[in-house]
Amino acid sequence: CAGATGFTTGKITSQHGLMYSKLVERHGEDRARAYAGAQQSALEQIVEIVAEQQIDCDLRRADAYVYTEDPKRVAEISREYKATRALGLPSQLVEGDIGLPWTVACAVRFADQALFHPRRYCLGLAAAIERSGGTIFEQTRALDVEDGNREKNGANVVVTTAGGVVRADAVVLATQTPILDRGAFFARTQPHRSYVIAARCDDPPDDMYISAEQPIRSVRPHTDADGSVLMVGGGGHRTGKDDHTEQQYGDLRRFAAERFDVSANWQWSAQDFAPADGLPYIGPITGGHPHTFVATGYAKWGMTNGTVAAMIIADSILGRESEWREAFDSTRIDLHRSVGVVGSQGLSTVKSVIGDRIASLAASGVDSLAPGTGAVVRAGGHPVAAFRHEDGTIDAVSPRCTHLSCIVHFNEAERTWDCPCHGSRFDLKGHVIDGPATHDLETVHLVADDPAAN
């Protein structure tokens, strides 16, 4: 519960920005209604689980708004409102005061949504699993999954891990993006990072807010043992595609100071994957692997979409029908709606494999690294991904992502190595943080007579 879930803002809502009018245009009203109904059902499912399992996770009901400050965008907000009403969502078109300390031109409000502490909720789920007889193994990296040869393997699915083999009737790859290349989900989704700051605030707004304008600003309150907190999120960029990641935090800090007169006490970031055609992929990894399930492409709305995935996949494993299965079908092929993202991913991969490798050949030497900085540089005649610590020592690893050999980029805000192709991330020692990579970057030992070697 310390990865993407632990770093989310914890909004439980079917209000997903200016999404529904676009869904209707791209997928038609029936599929958009299925998505909308699934999100609302997931919200109520979470509230029910919290009550039944008595999970202490600060859950409370709140309204959720998408708003604009630009009078020229009122028509866009109005279209979104009409779409949400047609889909049966609890929306209302509002003007004037919506609880923010500045004027908005127009907003759509979703009534009776919810917010909570996501990690406490997730830990409560883990405890409930164990009470029900389940077993949880942490720090066990899955490396491969074989599906479809029960006679040979004695089980529908065999999972190879770093610590041994696990056999099961069904397996769910709930790893943000699948660690397997089957189904080519790495090419059908785009990895995005987003940023959050939190500040002590005597009187934060009561509800949840997200702007229609770019860069998006997301606001929600929180209360801890020491008082009230304001959380502000936004910014965001393709993973590995921003050379000034620290600036994202600076922009959020300035927004919080200007709009709420507060100073940030904490900051963090998270990663999620946007689907090519606007809808998550939930179901079997391919039509030929019916016992291996995937859930990916939540587009930063994982609290409800993760719960939707749990309901759909549980129904599939238990042989029950699901009214949402077709809308989220993981095996769908929709070239018309997906060509933009798939093409962008392909170009990004080509650019990294070819362009970044050419650039690495002309990179500066390792001596050019200033303390507290990282870059792909040259050492011993070869490119390396190197970071110089403040004490002068250097961590050096191979710059080639272990997924498909793209060249990683340095993330200055988090001091990580991020793959610009498919979103794999590694720490300074090369250890995998996020997939689809399952293997660490190879350590590079600098020559002993190099004064920077550690």
Side-chain angles (χ1 to χ4, degrees):
C1 310
T5 299
F7 289 115
T8 180
T9 54
K11 295 181 176 181
I12 318 168
T13 177
S14 56
Q15 202 298 299
H16 294 174
L18 294 180
M19 178 175 193
Y20 291 100
S21 56
K22 297 173 184 176
L23 273 185
V24 172
E25 290 174 5
R26 297 179 73 178
H27 292 279
E29 194 166 299
D30 288 344
R31 184 162 283 190
R33 182 175 289 108
Y35 180 90
Q39 306 308 309
Q40 275 294 120
S41 296
L43 160 62
E44 299 304 331
Q45 176 75 25
I46 292 172
V47 172
E48 182 179 331
I49 289 172
V50 169
E52 287 183 350
Q53 300 298 330
Q54 299 182 0
I55 300 175
D56 182 8
C57 59
D58 304 325
L59 185 142
R60 72 170 177 86
R61 293 285 190 170
D63 293 343
Y65 294 82
V66 56
Y67 69 89
T68 183
E69 299 177 62
D70 184 356
K72 295 178 181 179
R73 303 194 70 168
V74 168
E76 188 178 3
I77 293 287
S78 181
R79 282 196 301 273
E80 181 69 11
Y81 165 69
K82 291 176 181 177
T84 59
R85 293 302 295 179
L87 298 175
L89 289 162
S91 61
Q92 180 182 1
L93 188 65
V94 295
E95 297 177 353
D97 183 11
I98 63 171
L100 291 171
W102 63 84
T103 302
V104 303
C106 193
V108 177
R109 176 174 65 200
F110 279 36
D112 208 25
Q113 306 294 289
L115 46 77
F116 67 171
H117 191 300
R119 186 165 186 267
R120 290 177 184 168
Y121 172 70
C122 205
L123 291 172
L125 291 182
I129 288 170
E130 292 185 327
R131 285 196 301 271
S132 299
T135 305
I136 297 173
F137 294 90
E138 297 186 272
Q139 307 304 320
T140 305
R141 183 182 297 172
L143 302 173
D144 195 16
V145 181
E146 183 180 352
D147 182 349
N149 198 334
R150 186 177 183 88
E151 183 176 340
K152 171 187 173 184
N153 298 319
N156 289 338
V157 193
V158 177
V159 182
T160 300
T161 80
V165 171
V166 178
R167 291 175 171 83
D169 289 334
V171 165
V172 182
L173 302 181
T175 52
Q176 285 207 304
T177 190
I179 62 168
L180 305 179
D181 288 343
R182 283 169 235 156
F185 294 97
F186 64 86
R188 296 159 63 191
T189 58
Q190 282 188 342
H192 290 264
R193 296 205 64 73
S194 55
Y195 299 81
V196 184
I197 61 99
R200 288 288 170 202
C201 183
D202 292 335
D203 188 24
D206 291 330
D207 296 311
M208 302 174 283
Y209 305 86
I210 189 167
S211 67
E213 285 84 10
Q214 297 286 343
I216 286 175
R217 293 292 178 252
S218 172
V219 175
R220 65 150 287 185
H222 175 64
T223 302
D224 64 16
D226 296 319
S228 298
V229 174
L230 176 75
M231 295 166 57
V232 178
H237 56 86
R238 283 278 306 275
T239 300
K241 293 291 188 178
D242 189 344
D243 294 330
H244 304 286
T245 49
E246 184 61 39
Q247 182 180 333
Q248 299 285 353
Y249 287 128
D251 291 343
L252 292 176
R253 286 192 289 266
R254 280 188 291 275
F255 178 87
E258 293 169 0
R259 298 297 183 97
F260 295 95
D261 194 24
V262 296
S263 298
N265 301 88
W266 305 275
Q267 64 183 41
W268 65 91
S269 66
Q271 179 160 303
D272 203 358
F273 291 76
D277 63 359
L279 289 169
Y281 302 105
I282 299 170
I285 191 167
T286 70
H289 298 85
H291 307 292
T292 300
F293 296 88
V294 298
T296 188
Y298 297 160
K300 304 181 185 179
W301 297 106
M303 296 302 94
T304 50
N305 273 312
T307 305
V308 170
M311 292 190 283
I312 292 175
I313 292 173
D315 284 343
S316 295
I317 292 172
L318 297 173
R320 302 186 302 225
E321 290 299 318
S322 171
E323 61 182 306
W324 310 314
R325 186 174 299 161
E326 182 179 356
F328 294 87
D329 180 17
S330 53
T331 64
R332 66 184 184 270
I333 303 297
D334 193 337
L335 295 178
H336 175 67
R337 297 182 180 91
S338 305
V339 66
V341 169
V342 173
S344 174
Q345 284 291 81
L347 289 173
S348 179
T349 301
V350 170
K351 180 180 182 298
S352 183
V353 171
I354 298 176
D356 286 351
R357 286 189 185 180
I358 293 173
S360 70
L361 296 176
S364 302
V366 69
D367 290 341
S368 66
L369 284 177
T373 65
V376 174
V377 295
R378 295 189 65 77
H382 302 283
V384 298
F387 176 80
R388 187 187 295 276
H389 292 272
E390 281 73 5
D391 64 1
T393 59
I394 290 178
D395 285 319
V397 294
S398 167
R400 293 189 179 187
C401 176
T402 54
H403 176 229
L404 290 179
S405 296
C406 293
I407 302 299
V408 296
H409 292 194
F410 186 65
N411 179 330
E412 63 177 353
E414 299 162 275
R415 292 190 172 185
T416 58
W417 296 106
D418 298 355
C419 177
C421 295
H422 307 118
S424 297
R425 299 177 63 243
F426 307 84
D427 67 16
L428 296 178
K429 298 290 186 181
H431 301 140
V432 175
I433 301 172
D434 291 309
T438 58
H439 296 280
D440 297 339
L441 298 176
E442 183 180 352
T443 299
V444 174
H445 297 285
L446 301 180
V447 292
D449 58 356
D450 186 338
N454 58 355

